Amino acid sequence: MVAQSREAEQRTYLRKERRDAYFEALRVAVLDVRRLRYERSGQTEKLREVEHYWTKTKRIEMSMEALIALHAFGSEDARHFAEEWRVATEANDLDTMQRLVRQFGELMRTELQEG
């Protein structure tokens, strides 16, 4: 009975860590998409506001933490998302970035609802 209780606690812990990792990755992805959209559409004031609040240093830190968390607690599909995301952001491919955000949101819902 003690072993079952520990296993249940471990599953709960891992589920919370996965959820937190996924939310952090999605936060970074949405921020990247927003910044690129503002830049492309010439919305310099909005871009300036975003970059004032989320400085480049802060964004890099957020990205690294999200990547580490995805690799530590994410599924194989989530780690695959991270690699696709890296390629899309390096290419400034807004269409692919937006598609990946939608797909990752679906992945999150599926994995986190399954338990």
Side-chain angles (χ1 to χ4, degrees), residues 7-47:
E7 287 176 20
E9 286 176 12
Q10 181 70 6
R11 280 192 306 274
T12 299
Y13 167 77
L14 292 173
R15 181 178 166 86
K16 181 190 176 310
E17 291 297 325
R18 178 173 282 191
R19 184 198 69 205
D20 291 350
Y22 286 10
F23 276 108
E24 185 63 25
L26 187 60
R27 184 177 299 115
V28 169
V30 168
L31 179 60
D32 285 349
V33 166
R34 182 173 293 174
R35 285 183 61 253
L36 189 53
R37 269 194 357 243
Y38 289 161
E39 182 181 298
R40 294 249 175 105
S41 65
Q43 297 181 48
T44 55
E45 185 57 35
K46 287 186 177 186
L47 179 61

Side-chain angles (χ1 to χ4, degrees), residues 60-77:
I60 291 170
E61 183 179 319
M62 288 170 55
S63 294
M64 291 306 299
E65 289 174 358
L67 182 61
I68 290 166
L70 277 183
H71 281 282
F73 299 104
S75 67
E76 184 64 34
D77 288 339

